[in-house]
Amino acid sequence: MTSMDELMGLLRIHVKRGINLAVRDVRTSDPYVVVRMGTQRLKTKVINKDINPVWNEDLTLPITDPAEPIKLTVFDYDTFSMDDEMGDAEFDIVAFVQALRMDYADFPDGTILAKVQPGRKNCLAEESVVVLREGRVLQDLCLRLRNVECGEVELQLEWIEVPGCKGVSATPTPTA
Protein backbone atom coordinates (compact mmCIF):
# COMPACT_ATOMS: atom_id res chain seq x y z
CA MET A 1 0.00 0.00 0.00
CA THR A 2 1.24 3.49 -0.87
CA SER A 3 1.86 5.83 2.06
CA MET A 4 0.84 9.49 1.94
CA ASP A 5 4.55 10.41 2.15
CA GLU A 6 5.25 8.65 -1.15
CA LEU A 7 2.02 9.60 -2.91
CA MET A 8 2.26 12.54 -5.35
CA GLY A 9 -1.40 12.51 -6.33
CA LEU A 10 -3.89 10.61 -8.43
CA LEU A 11 -3.96 10.23 -12.19
CA ARG A 12 -7.44 9.93 -13.65
CA ILE A 13 -7.26 8.03 -16.93
CA HIS A 14 -10.46 8.58 -18.89
CA VAL A 15 -10.62 5.63 -21.31
CA LYS A 16 -12.69 7.15 -24.12
CA ARG A 17 -12.90 4.63 -26.94
CA GLY A 18 -11.26 2.06 -29.16
CA ILE A 19 -10.92 2.56 -32.91
CA ASN A 20 -10.78 -0.27 -35.47
CA LEU A 21 -9.82 -2.92 -32.92
CA ALA A 22 -8.86 -6.40 -34.07
CA VAL A 23 -11.51 -9.07 -34.65
CA ARG A 24 -10.95 -11.98 -32.24
CA ASP A 25 -14.33 -13.75 -32.37
CA VAL A 26 -16.17 -14.72 -35.58
CA ARG A 27 -16.82 -11.22 -36.95
CA THR A 28 -16.30 -8.97 -33.95
CA SER A 29 -14.78 -8.79 -30.45
CA ASP A 30 -15.87 -8.13 -26.85
CA PRO A 31 -13.10 -5.71 -25.79
CA TYR A 32 -12.02 -4.37 -22.43
CA VAL A 33 -8.90 -2.45 -21.36
CA VAL A 34 -6.46 -3.28 -18.57
CA VAL A 35 -4.17 -0.48 -17.32
CA ARG A 36 -1.06 -1.39 -15.31
CA MET A 37 1.53 0.70 -13.50
CA GLY A 38 3.98 -1.28 -11.40
CA THR A 39 1.88 -3.68 -9.31
CA GLN A 40 -1.35 -1.71 -9.81
CA ARG A 41 -3.94 -3.13 -12.24
CA LEU A 42 -7.27 -1.56 -13.25
CA LYS A 43 -9.77 -2.59 -15.92
CA THR A 44 -12.75 -1.22 -17.82
CA LYS A 45 -16.06 -2.94 -18.39
CA VAL A 46 -16.49 -5.29 -21.36
CA ILE A 47 -18.23 -3.86 -24.43
CA ASN A 48 -19.96 -6.71 -26.27
CA LYS A 49 -19.65 -7.26 -30.02
CA ASP A 50 -17.93 -3.97 -30.94
CA ILE A 51 -14.57 -3.28 -32.61
CA ASN A 52 -15.17 0.49 -32.14
CA PRO A 53 -16.19 0.44 -28.46
CA VAL A 54 -16.98 3.54 -26.41
CA TRP A 55 -16.04 2.95 -22.78
CA ASN A 56 -16.15 6.52 -21.40
CA GLU A 57 -14.82 5.11 -18.15
CA ASP A 58 -12.50 6.65 -15.54
CA LEU A 59 -9.69 4.61 -13.99
CA THR A 60 -7.70 6.26 -11.18
CA LEU A 61 -4.07 5.40 -10.37
CA PRO A 62 -2.18 6.59 -7.28
CA ILE A 63 1.16 8.00 -8.55
CA THR A 64 4.40 7.71 -6.60
CA ASP A 65 6.91 7.68 -9.49
CA PRO A 66 5.89 9.69 -12.58
CA ALA A 67 8.81 8.25 -14.57
CA GLU A 68 7.33 4.74 -14.37
CA PRO A 69 5.59 3.81 -17.65
CA ILE A 70 1.91 3.00 -17.76
CA LYS A 71 0.98 -0.10 -19.77
CA LEU A 72 -2.36 -0.59 -21.47
CA THR A 73 -3.57 -3.91 -22.91
CA VAL A 74 -6.82 -4.53 -24.78
CA PHE A 75 -8.39 -7.98 -24.36
CA ASP A 76 -11.29 -9.80 -26.00
CA TYR A 77 -13.53 -11.32 -23.32
CA ASP A 78 -14.31 -14.99 -23.89
CA THR A 79 -16.82 -16.88 -21.75
CA PHE A 80 -15.43 -20.41 -22.14
CA SER A 81 -11.72 -19.86 -22.82
CA MET A 82 -8.85 -17.54 -21.90
CA ASP A 83 -9.37 -13.95 -22.99
CA ASP A 84 -7.46 -13.07 -26.18
CA GLU A 85 -5.00 -10.17 -26.29
CA MET A 86 -5.95 -7.50 -28.83
CA GLY A 87 -2.78 -5.41 -28.61
CA ASP A 88 -0.97 -3.27 -26.09
CA ALA A 89 0.56 0.17 -25.72
CA GLU A 90 2.71 2.05 -23.26
CA PHE A 91 2.89 5.72 -22.32
CA ASP A 92 4.55 7.89 -19.70
CA ILE A 93 3.38 10.98 -17.89
CA VAL A 94 6.71 12.85 -17.77
CA ALA A 95 5.59 15.75 -20.03
CA PHE A 96 2.22 15.85 -18.25
CA VAL A 97 3.84 16.14 -14.80
CA GLN A 98 6.31 18.77 -16.07
CA ALA A 99 3.33 20.83 -17.30
CA LEU A 100 1.66 20.47 -13.89
CA ARG A 101 4.77 22.02 -12.29
CA MET A 102 4.39 25.21 -14.36
CA ASP A 103 2.93 28.35 -12.80
CA TYR A 104 -0.14 28.37 -15.06
CA ALA A 105 -2.56 30.22 -12.75
CA ASP A 106 -2.71 33.31 -14.99
CA PHE A 107 -2.68 31.48 -18.34
CA PRO A 108 -5.81 31.80 -20.51
CA ASP A 109 -8.13 28.83 -21.01
CA GLY A 110 -6.96 26.64 -23.90
CA THR A 111 -3.24 27.34 -23.39
CA ILE A 112 -1.09 24.47 -24.66
CA LEU A 113 1.41 23.68 -21.89
CA ALA A 114 3.33 20.88 -23.66
CA LYS A 115 3.37 18.82 -26.85
CA VAL A 116 4.53 15.23 -27.26
CA GLN A 117 5.34 14.01 -30.76
CA PRO A 118 4.78 10.42 -31.89
CA GLY A 119 8.02 8.49 -32.23
CA ARG A 120 9.83 5.22 -31.76
CA LYS A 121 9.94 5.61 -27.98
CA ASN A 122 6.17 5.97 -27.54
CA CYS A 123 2.95 4.48 -28.89
CA LEU A 124 1.33 7.76 -29.92
CA ALA A 125 -0.67 7.63 -33.16
CA GLU A 126 -0.60 11.44 -33.38
CA GLU A 127 0.73 14.49 -31.54
CA SER A 128 -0.48 14.69 -27.94
CA VAL A 129 -0.98 18.05 -26.24
CA VAL A 130 -1.17 18.99 -22.58
CA VAL A 131 -3.70 21.81 -22.33
CA LEU A 132 -5.19 24.05 -19.66
CA ARG A 133 -8.98 23.73 -19.79
CA GLU A 134 -11.26 25.39 -17.21
CA GLY A 135 -8.43 25.48 -14.66
CA ARG A 136 -7.58 21.79 -15.16
CA VAL A 137 -4.49 20.36 -16.85
CA LEU A 138 -5.54 17.68 -19.35
CA GLN A 139 -3.71 15.52 -21.89
CA ASP A 140 -5.44 13.76 -24.77
CA LEU A 141 -3.69 10.66 -26.11
CA CYS A 142 -4.40 8.44 -29.09
CA LEU A 143 -2.34 5.27 -28.67
CA ARG A 144 -1.57 2.89 -31.53
CA LEU A 145 -1.73 -0.67 -30.28
CA ARG A 146 1.33 -2.90 -30.74
CA ASN A 147 1.58 -6.66 -31.32
CA VAL A 148 -1.68 -6.67 -33.29
CA GLU A 149 -2.78 -6.02 -36.87
CA CYS A 150 -4.80 -2.86 -36.12
CA GLY A 151 -6.36 -0.68 -33.45
CA GLU A 152 -6.05 2.51 -31.44
CA VAL A 153 -7.29 3.61 -28.01
CA GLU A 154 -8.14 7.20 -27.05
CA LEU A 155 -7.50 8.40 -23.49
CA GLN A 156 -7.57 11.64 -21.55
CA LEU A 157 -5.36 12.22 -18.51
CA GLU A 158 -6.22 14.50 -15.59
CA TRP A 159 -4.34 15.09 -12.33
CA ILE A 160 -6.14 14.98 -8.98
CA GLU A 161 -4.44 16.67 -6.03
CA VAL A 162 -4.72 14.77 -2.76
CA PRO A 163 -4.59 16.80 0.49
CA GLY A 164 -1.75 15.64 2.72
CA CYS A 165 0.42 14.12 -0.01
CA LYS A 166 3.62 15.57 -1.41
CA GLY A 167 2.20 16.72 -4.77
CA VAL A 168 4.01 17.10 -8.10
CA SER A 169 6.35 19.93 -7.16
CA ALA A 170 8.19 17.93 -4.51
CA THR A 171 10.09 15.50 -6.74
CA PRO A 172 12.01 16.35 -9.90
CA THR A 173 11.18 14.05 -12.81
CA PRO A 174 14.20 12.51 -14.54
CA THR A 175 14.29 13.23 -18.25
CA ALA A 176 14.13 10.20 -20.50
Side-chain angles (χ1 to χ4, degrees), residues 96-136:
F96 182 69
V97 170
Q98 287 171 342
L100 286 167
R101 291 188 174 129
M102 297 170 70
D103 184 14
Y104 54 80
D106 297 328
F107 291 0
D109 194 50
T111 299
I112 294 174
L113 304 174
K115 292 182 181 182
V116 183
Q117 299 298 325
R120 289 184 181 168
K121 294 187 178 203
N122 64 42
C123 294
L124 294 173
E126 58 195 36
E127 179 181 77
S128 175
V129 296
V130 182
V131 66
L132 184 63
R133 208 173 287 137
E134 297 171 7
R136 302 178 310 166

Side-chain angles (χ1 to χ4, degrees), residues 32-155:
Y32 65 94
V33 174
V34 172
V35 174
R36 286 189 179 93
M37 184 180 201
T39 59
Q40 301 177 78
R41 181 183 186 273
L42 303 168
K43 73 178 244 191
T44 65
K45 63 184 176 280
V46 173
I47 305 288
N48 292 315
K49 296 181 176 36
D50 198 341
I51 58 168
N52 294 294
V54 176
W55 287 285
N56 269 336
E57 196 169 332
D58 289 336
L59 304 176
T60 305
L61 281 173
I63 302 297
T64 55
D65 179 5
E68 185 166 359
I70 298 171
K71 295 174 173 61
L72 173 146
T73 308
V74 180
F75 290 93
D76 171 43
Y77 175 78
D78 288 318
T79 306
F80 300 110
S81 61
M82 293 225 359
D83 294 354
D84 301 312
E85 279 200 33
M86 296 172 60
D88 63 88
E90 192 172 287
F91 63 97
D92 68 57
I93 58 169
V94 173
F96 182 69
V97 170
Q98 287 171 342
L100 286 167
R101 291 188 174 129
M102 297 170 70
D103 184 14
Y104 54 80
D106 297 328
F107 291 0
D109 194 50
T111 299
I112 294 174
L113 304 174
K115 292 182 181 182
V116 183
Q117 299 298 325
R120 289 184 181 168
K121 294 187 178 203
N122 64 42
C123 294
L124 294 173
E126 58 195 36
E127 179 181 77
S128 175
V129 296
V130 182
V131 66
L132 184 63
R133 208 173 287 137
E134 297 171 7
R136 302 178 310 166
V137 176
L138 305 172
Q139 181 176 4
D140 288 307
L141 301 145
C142 183
L143 301 174
R144 181 171 289 123
L145 297 175
R146 305 177 294 198
N147 305 311
V148 69
E149 57 271 24
C150 58
E152 297 176 353
V153 174
E154 289 184 356
L155 309 171

